[in-house]
Amino acid sequence: MSEEDFEKISQQVEAGVDNEPPPRFAFIGECGVGKSSTLNALFNAGLEVSHIEACTQTVKGVEVFCSQVDGVKGGLVAYDMPGLGESQLKQREHIKLYEEVLKDVDVALWILDAQNRAIASVQQYLQTELQAIHPQLLERMVIALNKVDLVYPGATDWIDSANLPSEQQEKNIHGRVKDVNKRIREVLPHWKGRIVGYSAYRRYNLPQLFNAMMDAVPRKRKWVVASRKALADFRELVDPQLLPPEKRPQRAIHQQPQPEKISDMLANMPPDEYAKFATDRRAFLAWLRQKGL
């Protein structure tokens, strides 16, 4: 492949990435659990952030463009949803907004207060209103357990110098995560998501929360997330023989044996078999799966 052809293909790939809608996340939960503070803690630390409106003026979307944050590249959109449980009148309005927004997002983060052991109302929301809106979204929902720095014995037991929970707090935090996991599965038995205990105020465990969000993106949109994580890894999966010489990776001295290249396999294939695959796409794909490619 010539340098010119390689650059043309690279530009086409980049154009496809640029035109694909960015990953979209909804921060949901009851009033006062720290949805807005979590969003700000994750995305407003020295980044340029522009506020956009989604659906109505009461739902705020924050569009985040990351030039480089822990190796993450690209943009994403996070919606700060109104808190549930404010009042019966507001509840109807908020559920309507949830219906409009959740149908278009990739991941939902349900934020809970780690101190609050009573989650019957949360179970009710998940089992009724939100289950009716987008059941597939709930299956991979991330449970974000905020304010773990206040878990018993409380803030005075937090180790400020290390910004870590005390031994007793850490034990109780694990207990809360285990209990919440059990309660969520009572109403969502097929739930495949994760629970992350963190503190927006302390900036504790935010990378773990961010990774859980990215991992929850549905399979068909995984490539969009990959473009935010490590675009530089693209060439590592390309047969070096297809790259221009100056773009081929240097061979290591003690390089491990590499799998047989597709180009070599096709070159050594009998003519009649090659002709069959050239005219039968389904057979060719089945052959690739058989070879583990």
Side-chain angles (χ1 to χ4, degrees), residues 205-248:
N205 262 5
L206 290 180
Q208 288 82 347
L209 179 60
F210 185 79
N211 286 334
M213 291 165 51
M214 290 299 195
D215 291 341
V217 173
R219 184 182 301 273
K220 66 180 180 180
R221 294 264 287 159
K222 284 292 187 183
W223 72 274
V224 182
V225 174
S227 71
R228 271 78 185 161
K229 283 189 172 183
L231 279 175
D233 291 340
F234 168 73
R235 290 174 187 166
E236 295 179 5
L237 303 179
V238 177
D239 185 340
Q241 297 182 30
L242 302 179
L243 296 174
E246 65 275 10
K247 294 187 182 293
R248 295 174 185 172

Tab-separated table of all heavy atoms in Angstrom, residues 205-248:
chain	number	residue	atom	x	y	z
A	205	ASN	N	-11.843	7.377	43.801
A	205	ASN	CA	-12.312	6.310	42.907
A	205	ASN	C	-12.992	6.832	41.641
A	205	ASN	O	-13.750	6.094	41.001
A	205	ASN	CB	-13.279	5.359	43.635
A	205	ASN	CG	-12.572	4.105	44.133
A	205	ASN	OD1	-11.354	3.976	44.028
A	205	ASN	ND2	-13.322	3.178	44.686
A	206	LEU	N	-12.713	8.058	41.238
A	206	LEU	CA	-13.306	8.574	40.010
A	206	LEU	C	-12.807	7.839	38.753
A	206	LEU	O	-13.604	7.590	37.839
A	206	LEU	CB	-13.046	10.074	39.883
A	206	LEU	CG	-13.793	10.972	40.879
A	206	LEU	CD1	-13.442	12.433	40.635
A	206	LEU	CD2	-15.297	10.767	40.781
A	207	PRO	N	-11.517	7.476	38.663
A	207	PRO	CA	-11.096	6.706	37.480
A	207	PRO	C	-11.835	5.382	37.353
A	207	PRO	O	-12.195	4.963	36.258
A	207	PRO	CB	-9.596	6.488	37.729
A	207	PRO	CG	-9.189	7.610	38.617
A	207	PRO	CD	-10.369	7.842	39.515
A	208	GLN	N	-12.076	4.719	38.486
A	208	GLN	CA	-12.808	3.460	38.452
A	208	GLN	C	-14.244	3.674	37.966
A	208	GLN	O	-14.788	2.856	37.222
A	208	GLN	CB	-12.813	2.807	39.836
A	208	GLN	CG	-11.471	2.232	40.265
A	208	GLN	CD	-10.521	3.265	40.832
A	208	GLN	OE1	-10.744	4.464	40.709
A	208	GLN	NE2	-9.456	2.803	41.450
A	209	LEU	N	-14.842	4.777	38.383
A	209	LEU	CA	-16.201	5.095	37.944
A	209	LEU	C	-16.222	5.379	36.447
A	209	LEU	O	-17.112	4.908	35.722
A	209	LEU	CB	-16.738	6.298	38.723
A	209	LEU	CG	-18.144	6.777	38.354
A	209	LEU	CD1	-19.166	5.665	38.568
A	209	LEU	CD2	-18.525	8.017	39.167
A	210	PHE	N	-15.255	6.135	35.972
A	210	PHE	CA	-15.194	6.466	34.551
A	210	PHE	C	-15.013	5.199	33.701
A	210	PHE	O	-15.652	5.031	32.661
A	210	PHE	CB	-14.053	7.442	34.291
A	210	PHE	CG	-13.981	7.924	32.868
A	210	PHE	CD1	-14.832	8.922	32.422
A	210	PHE	CD2	-13.068	7.388	31.976
A	210	PHE	CE1	-14.778	9.364	31.103
A	210	PHE	CE2	-13.002	7.820	30.666
A	210	PHE	CZ	-13.866	8.818	30.235
A	211	ASN	N	-14.143	4.291	34.151
A	211	ASN	CA	-13.931	3.050	33.413
A	211	ASN	C	-15.187	2.194	33.386
A	211	ASN	O	-15.490	1.551	32.370
A	211	ASN	CB	-12.774	2.261	34.035
A	211	ASN	CG	-11.427	2.872	33.724
A	211	ASN	OD1	-11.265	3.557	32.719
A	211	ASN	ND2	-10.452	2.648	34.584
A	212	ALA	N	-15.927	2.176	34.501
A	212	ALA	CA	-17.176	1.412	34.538
A	212	ALA	C	-18.183	1.980	33.547
A	212	ALA	O	-18.920	1.236	32.892
A	212	ALA	CB	-17.755	1.425	35.953
A	213	MET	N	-18.227	3.315	33.425
A	213	MET	CA	-19.108	3.954	32.447
A	213	MET	C	-18.746	3.520	31.038
A	213	MET	O	-19.615	3.153	30.233
A	213	MET	CB	-18.992	5.474	32.566
A	213	MET	CG	-19.563	6.059	33.841
A	213	MET	SD	-19.017	7.774	34.097
A	213	MET	CE	-19.408	8.531	32.530
A	214	MET	N	-17.467	3.562	30.717
A	214	MET	CA	-17.029	3.213	29.375
A	214	MET	C	-17.282	1.741	29.062
A	214	MET	O	-17.702	1.376	27.964
A	214	MET	CB	-15.542	3.532	29.209
A	214	MET	CG	-15.237	5.013	29.173
A	214	MET	SD	-16.062	5.830	27.767
A	214	MET	CE	-15.191	7.379	27.727
A	215	ASP	N	-17.052	0.886	30.048
A	215	ASP	CA	-17.250	-0.547	29.838
A	215	ASP	C	-18.722	-0.907	29.644
A	215	ASP	O	-19.033	-1.975	29.092
A	215	ASP	CB	-16.693	-1.335	31.026
A	215	ASP	CG	-15.173	-1.281	31.100
A	215	ASP	OD1	-14.548	-0.964	30.073
A	215	ASP	OD2	-14.607	-1.550	32.180
A	216	ALA	N	-19.631	-0.049	30.103
A	216	ALA	CA	-21.060	-0.346	30.010
A	216	ALA	C	-21.662	0.037	28.663
A	216	ALA	O	-22.831	-0.258	28.409
A	216	ALA	CB	-21.824	0.378	31.132
A	217	VAL	N	-20.896	0.665	27.801
A	217	VAL	CA	-21.400	1.025	26.475
A	217	VAL	C	-21.742	-0.253	25.714
A	217	VAL	O	-20.974	-1.220	25.737
A	217	VAL	CB	-20.361	1.856	25.703
A	217	VAL	CG1	-20.797	2.092	24.262
A	217	VAL	CG2	-20.124	3.181	26.405
A	218	PRO	N	-22.903	-0.325	25.044
A	218	PRO	CA	-23.304	-1.554	24.351
A	218	PRO	C	-22.306	-1.971	23.286
A	218	PRO	O	-21.575	-1.149	22.726
A	218	PRO	CB	-24.664	-1.195	23.743
A	218	PRO	CG	-24.710	0.290	23.724
A	218	PRO	CD	-23.901	0.741	24.892
A	219	ARG	N	-22.296	-3.277	23.004
A	219	ARG	CA	-21.290	-3.870	22.120
A	219	ARG	C	-21.220	-3.175	20.756
A	219	ARG	O	-20.140	-2.928	20.226
A	219	ARG	CB	-21.607	-5.359	21.933
A	219	ARG	CG	-20.571	-6.107	21.103
A	219	ARG	CD	-20.985	-7.561	20.921
A	219	ARG	NE	-21.128	-8.217	22.205
A	219	ARG	CZ	-20.106	-8.805	22.845
A	219	ARG	NH1	-18.904	-8.795	22.308
A	219	ARG	NH2	-20.304	-9.396	24.002
A	220	LYS	N	-22.374	-2.855	20.167
A	220	LYS	CA	-22.372	-2.280	18.821
A	220	LYS	C	-21.772	-0.877	18.783
A	220	LYS	O	-21.492	-0.362	17.699
A	220	LYS	CB	-23.788	-2.265	18.256
A	220	LYS	CG	-24.747	-1.341	18.984
A	220	LYS	CD	-26.131	-1.400	18.359
A	220	LYS	CE	-27.117	-0.471	19.071
A	220	LYS	NZ	-28.459	-0.528	18.477
A	221	ARG	N	-21.602	-0.263	19.971
A	221	ARG	CA	-20.998	1.078	20.022
A	221	ARG	C	-19.613	1.054	20.676
A	221	ARG	O	-19.035	2.102	20.954
A	221	ARG	CB	-21.920	2.006	20.806
A	221	ARG	CG	-23.256	2.267	20.147
A	221	ARG	CD	-23.249	3.553	19.361
A	221	ARG	NE	-23.258	4.699	20.251
A	221	ARG	CZ	-22.855	5.918	19.904
A	221	ARG	NH1	-22.389	6.128	18.689
A	221	ARG	NH2	-22.912	6.915	20.758
A	222	LYS	N	-19.067	-0.131	20.927
A	222	LYS	CA	-17.780	-0.239	21.605
A	222	LYS	C	-16.680	0.475	20.847
A	222	LYS	O	-15.764	1.024	21.433
A	222	LYS	CB	-17.405	-1.715	21.792
A	222	LYS	CG	-18.154	-2.421	22.900
A	222	LYS	CD	-17.756	-1.896	24.276
A	222	LYS	CE	-18.404	-2.735	25.371
A	222	LYS	NZ	-18.086	-2.201	26.711
A	223	TRP	N	-16.747	0.436	19.513
A	223	TRP	CA	-15.678	1.058	18.739
A	223	TRP	C	-15.636	2.565	18.962
A	223	TRP	O	-14.580	3.191	18.857
A	223	TRP	CB	-15.861	0.742	17.255
A	223	TRP	CG	-16.999	1.452	16.597
A	223	TRP	CD1	-18.291	1.061	16.561
A	223	TRP	CD2	-16.942	2.697	15.901
A	223	TRP	NE1	-19.048	1.977	15.872
A	223	TRP	CE2	-18.250	2.992	15.455
A	223	TRP	CE3	-15.921	3.598	15.596
A	223	TRP	CZ2	-18.546	4.140	14.739
A	223	TRP	CZ3	-16.210	4.740	14.876
A	223	TRP	CH2	-17.509	4.996	14.448
A	224	VAL	N	-16.788	3.173	19.285
A	224	VAL	CA	-16.811	4.608	19.566
A	224	VAL	C	-16.039	4.886	20.851
A	224	VAL	O	-15.292	5.852	20.959
A	224	VAL	CB	-18.264	5.109	19.691
A	224	VAL	CG1	-18.285	6.605	19.928
A	224	VAL	CG2	-19.049	4.757	18.449
A	225	VAL	N	-16.219	4.010	21.843
A	225	VAL	CA	-15.488	4.158	23.099
A	225	VAL	C	-14.007	3.926	22.884
A	225	VAL	O	-13.165	4.631	23.414
A	225	VAL	CB	-16.028	3.174	24.162
A	225	VAL	CG1	-15.190	3.228	25.416
A	225	VAL	CG2	-17.464	3.513	24.483
A	226	ALA	N	-13.680	2.915	22.066
A	226	ALA	CA	-12.275	2.625	21.802
A	226	ALA	C	-11.576	3.835	21.210
A	226	ALA	O	-10.418	4.101	21.497
A	226	ALA	CB	-12.157	1.424	20.862
A	227	SER	N	-12.280	4.603	20.389
A	227	SER	CA	-11.679	5.788	19.800
A	227	SER	C	-11.383	6.840	20.847
A	227	SER	O	-10.527	7.693	20.664
A	227	SER	CB	-12.592	6.368	18.717
A	227	SER	OG	-13.744	6.966	19.285
A	228	ARG	N	-12.098	6.791	21.983
A	228	ARG	CA	-11.826	7.728	23.073
A	228	ARG	C	-10.696	7.223	23.961
A	228	ARG	O	-10.036	7.992	24.623
A	228	ARG	CB	-13.074	7.924	23.948
A	228	ARG	CG	-13.995	9.035	23.479
A	228	ARG	CD	-14.846	8.613	22.316
A	228	ARG	NE	-15.637	9.710	21.784
A	228	ARG	CZ	-16.163	9.698	20.586
A	228	ARG	NH1	-15.992	8.675	19.781
A	228	ARG	NH2	-16.883	10.711	20.167
A	229	LYS	N	-10.490	5.914	23.980
A	229	LYS	CA	-9.513	5.349	24.890
A	229	LYS	C	-8.105	5.313	24.292
A	229	LYS	O	-7.148	5.681	24.954
A	229	LYS	CB	-9.933	3.925	25.283
A	229	LYS	CG	-11.053	3.889	26.310
A	229	LYS	CD	-11.255	2.474	26.810
A	229	LYS	CE	-12.238	2.467	27.967
A	229	LYS	NZ	-12.404	1.109	28.533
A	230	ALA	N	-7.970	4.805	23.075
A	230	ALA	CA	-6.620	4.614	22.552
A	230	ALA	C	-6.630	4.465	21.037
A	230	ALA	O	-6.530	3.372	20.518
A	230	ALA	CB	-5.974	3.396	23.186
A	231	LEU	N	-6.750	5.569	20.326
A	231	LEU	CA	-6.701	5.505	18.873
A	231	LEU	C	-5.352	5.021	18.381
A	231	LEU	O	-5.236	4.423	17.326
A	231	LEU	CB	-6.987	6.889	18.286
A	231	LEU	CG	-8.459	7.304	18.187
A	231	LEU	CD1	-8.558	8.739	17.693
A	231	LEU	CD2	-9.224	6.389	17.276
A	232	ALA	N	-4.311	5.262	19.177
A	232	ALA	CA	-2.967	4.876	18.768
A	232	ALA	C	-2.814	3.369	18.637
A	232	ALA	O	-1.903	2.885	17.980
A	232	ALA	CB	-1.941	5.407	19.770
A	233	ASP	N	-3.704	2.598	19.264
A	233	ASP	CA	-3.620	1.151	19.205
A	233	ASP	C	-4.100	0.589	17.865
A	233	ASP	O	-3.943	-0.606	17.625
A	233	ASP	CB	-4.458	0.513	20.319
A	233	ASP	CG	-3.861	0.780	21.683
A	233	ASP	OD1	-2.669	1.107	21.765
A	233	ASP	OD2	-4.602	0.678	22.657
A	234	PHE	N	-4.652	1.434	17.012
A	234	PHE	CA	-5.242	0.953	15.758
A	234	PHE	C	-4.230	0.162	14.929
A	234	PHE	O	-4.506	-0.938	14.458
A	234	PHE	CB	-5.767	2.139	14.956
A	234	PHE	CG	-6.135	1.825	13.542
A	234	PHE	CD1	-7.274	1.090	13.245
A	234	PHE	CD2	-5.335	2.248	12.499
A	234	PHE	CE1	-7.606	0.790	11.932
A	234	PHE	CE2	-5.656	1.956	11.198
A	234	PHE	CZ	-6.799	1.221	10.914
A	235	ARG	N	-3.041	0.687	14.771
A	235	ARG	CA	-2.070	0.061	13.874
A	235	ARG	C	-1.525	-1.251	14.422
A	235	ARG	O	-0.986	-2.056	13.669
A	235	ARG	CB	-0.925	1.035	13.600
A	235	ARG	CG	-1.357	2.215	12.743
A	235	ARG	CD	-0.260	3.236	12.613
A	235	ARG	NE	-0.741	4.425	11.930
A	235	ARG	CZ	-0.094	5.581	11.902
A	235	ARG	NH1	1.065	5.695	12.509
A	235	ARG	NH2	-0.600	6.621	11.258
A	236	GLU	N	-1.625	-1.473	15.725
A	236	GLU	CA	-1.121	-2.719	16.291
A	236	GLU	C	-1.907	-3.930	15.802
A	236	GLU	O	-1.414	-5.051	15.858
A	236	GLU	CB	-1.176	-2.658	17.823
A	236	GLU	CG	-0.252	-1.601	18.411
A	236	GLU	CD	-0.342	-1.550	19.921
A	236	GLU	OE1	-1.057	-2.405	20.491
A	236	GLU	OE2	0.298	-0.681	20.526
A	237	LEU	N	-3.143	-3.704	15.346
A	237	LEU	CA	-3.988	-4.798	14.872
A	237	LEU	C	-3.935	-4.967	13.360
A	237	LEU	O	-4.618	-5.816	12.813
A	237	LEU	CB	-5.444	-4.551	15.315
A	237	LEU	CG	-5.651	-4.383	16.821
A	237	LEU	CD1	-7.120	-4.112	17.114
A	237	LEU	CD2	-5.175	-5.611	17.573
A	238	VAL	N	-3.132	-4.145	12.708
A	238	VAL	CA	-3.037	-4.192	11.246
A	238	VAL	C	-1.847	-5.050	10.842
A	238	VAL	O	-0.772	-4.970	11.442
A	238	VAL	CB	-2.887	-2.770	10.673
A	238	VAL	CG1	-2.702	-2.807	9.164
A	238	VAL	CG2	-4.097	-1.928	11.043
A	239	ASP	N	-2.036	-5.887	9.837
A	239	ASP	CA	-0.946	-6.678	9.289
A	239	ASP	C	0.157	-5.717	8.832
A	239	ASP	O	-0.074	-4.870	7.961
A	239	ASP	CB	-1.462	-7.494	8.095
A	239	ASP	CG	-0.404	-8.452	7.529
A	239	ASP	OD1	0.800	-8.245	7.772
A	239	ASP	OD2	-0.810	-9.385	6.832
A	240	PRO	N	1.368	-5.810	9.384
A	240	PRO	CA	2.440	-4.875	9.006
A	240	PRO	C	2.700	-4.834	7.506
A	240	PRO	O	3.143	-3.811	6.977
A	240	PRO	CB	3.653	-5.424	9.775
A	240	PRO	CG	3.067	-6.144	10.942
A	240	PRO	CD	1.796	-6.752	10.422
A	241	GLN	N	2.436	-5.948	6.802
A	241	GLN	CA	2.682	-5.964	5.360
A	241	GLN	C	1.748	-5.021	4.604
A	241	GLN	O	2.021	-4.666	3.462
A	241	GLN	CB	2.505	-7.392	4.822
A	241	GLN	CG	3.499	-8.383	5.407
A	241	GLN	CD	3.339	-9.778	4.832
A	241	GLN	OE1	2.934	-9.923	3.676
A	241	GLN	NE2	3.656	-10.793	5.605
A	242	LEU	N	0.645	-4.615	5.236
A	242	LEU	CA	-0.294	-3.710	4.592
A	242	LEU	C	0.032	-2.247	4.871
A	242	LEU	O	-0.599	-1.359	4.309
A	242	LEU	CB	-1.720	-4.017	5.066
A	242	LEU	CG	-2.216	-5.438	4.817
A	242	LEU	CD1	-3.637	-5.606	5.351
A	242	LEU	CD2	-2.165	-5.778	3.332
A	243	LEU	N	1.012	-2.000	5.740
A	243	LEU	CA	1.381	-0.630	6.088
A	243	LEU	C	2.577	-0.181	5.259
A	243	LEU	O	3.402	-0.999	4.829
A	243	LEU	CB	1.744	-0.535	7.572
A	243	LEU	CG	0.639	-0.838	8.581
A	243	LEU	CD1	1.205	-0.854	9.995
A	243	LEU	CD2	-0.484	0.180	8.474
A	244	PRO	N	2.691	1.137	5.021
A	244	PRO	CA	3.901	1.647	4.379
A	244	PRO	C	5.121	1.293	5.225
A	244	PRO	O	5.022	1.181	6.448
A	244	PRO	CB	3.671	3.167	4.341
A	244	PRO	CG	2.191	3.321	4.462
A	244	PRO	CD	1.715	2.197	5.316
A	245	PRO	N	6.277	1.079	4.617
A	245	PRO	CA	7.471	0.654	5.370
A	245	PRO	C	7.787	1.544	6.570
A	245	PRO	O	8.158	1.052	7.630
A	245	PRO	CB	8.593	0.729	4.311
A	245	PRO	CG	7.883	0.509	3.019
A	245	PRO	CD	6.548	1.178	3.167
A	246	GLU	N	7.626	2.861	6.399
A	246	GLU	CA	7.978	3.771	7.498
A	246	GLU	C	6.992	3.710	8.658
A	246	GLU	O	7.274	4.236	9.735
A	246	GLU	CB	8.085	5.216	6.984
A	246	GLU	CG	6.768	5.812	6.476
A	246	GLU	CD	6.473	5.460	5.038
A	246	GLU	OE1	7.187	4.593	4.486
A	246	GLU	OE2	5.542	6.062	4.472
A	247	LYS	N	5.834	3.074	8.445
A	247	LYS	CA	4.829	2.984	9.502
A	247	LYS	C	4.770	1.596	10.139
A	247	LYS	O	3.966	1.352	11.022
A	247	LYS	CB	3.446	3.358	8.964
A	247	LYS	CG	3.340	4.815	8.538
A	247	LYS	CD	1.925	5.172	8.168
A	247	LYS	CE	1.851	6.643	7.704
A	247	LYS	NZ	2.140	7.571	8.807
A	248	ARG	N	5.633	0.684	9.684
A	248	ARG	CA	5.631	-0.655	10.247
A	248	ARG	C	6.351	-0.652	11.599
A	248	ARG	O	7.390	-0.002	11.753
A	248	ARG	CB	6.303	-1.645	9.302
A	248	ARG	CG	5.556	-1.825	7.987
A	248	ARG	CD	6.322	-2.700	7.018
A	248	ARG	NE	5.638	-2.755	5.725
A	248	ARG	CZ	6.146	-3.320	4.632
A	248	ARG	NH1	7.354	-3.880	4.686
A	248	ARG	NH2	5.457	-3.311	3.505
